Amino acid sequence: MKISMIRSLWCALFVLFVSVEVIGQELPKYDYLEVIVIQKANNSGRVKRIKVQEQKSLEGKQITIKQLENLEGTSDLLNYMNAANWEFVDRQSIVSEENDPVWMSYIFRKRK
């Protein structure tokens, strides 16, 4: 009798630990979106154009490519994305020549 109670206790503990392990390893899933901002040369910081390519993460969302491309500056872009619950993740820039425009890639993510 005592041995069967100990075995059932061990089985219950094993099931408890396995279920906690499975629940703890659930990873959040995100949609990522890349927005290209083209700025004028010579560090004037004025936005020349905002460009967004067709991406899977935009399907079924309230934001559209047209709305993003109509924004006038980076602060407008960041405010707009924040209002739509997209989190800013990273920014990278590409500068090729001194008088060439600066291409900046803004990465945003949203929990699925």
Side-chain angles (χ1 to χ4, degrees):
M1 179 73 150
K2 197 172 191 178
I3 293 175
S4 65
M5 286 182 64
I6 292 174
R7 284 184 183 167
S8 61
L9 180 63
W10 279 108
C11 288
L13 285 174
F14 177 74
V15 169
L16 178 68
F17 285 127
V18 168
S19 64
V20 168
E21 183 81 18
V22 169
I23 292 170
Q25 292 204 5
E26 185 176 317
L27 299 175
K29 294 182 172 113
Y30 294 98
D31 280 335
Y32 287 91
L33 177 66
E34 180 181 26
V35 178
I36 305 295
V37 176
I38 304 165
Q39 291 185 339
K40 292 189 176 188
N42 299 328
N43 295 328
S44 65
R46 296 171 75 200
V47 172
K48 201 172 180 181
R49 190 172 101 190
I50 295 177
K51 181 179 176 183
V52 182
Q53 295 177 346
E54 192 69 39
Q55 300 174 38
K56 270 190 146 181
S57 58
L58 284 174
E59 293 175 5
K61 302 293 189 294
Q62 67 186 33
I63 62 174
T64 64
I65 292 175
K66 194 172 211 170
Q67 290 171 330
L68 288 169
E69 290 180 344
N70 286 336
L71 297 173
E72 303 221 353
T74 54
S75 62
D76 295 335
L77 172 67
L78 294 172
N79 288 332
Y80 178 76
M81 295 302 282
N82 190 31
N85 294 323
W86 285 82
E87 178 185 357
F88 172 74
V89 177
D90 191 23
R91 181 188 77 182
Q92 296 179 356
S93 62
I94 301 170
V95 182
S96 55
E97 300 266 338
E98 187 174 320
N99 290 330
D100 287 346
V102 178
W103 288 65
M104 303 184 80
S105 170
Y106 285 81
I107 306 293
F108 297 93
R109 74 178 178 187
K110 184 172 185 168
R111 184 171 267 184
K112 287 185 180 180

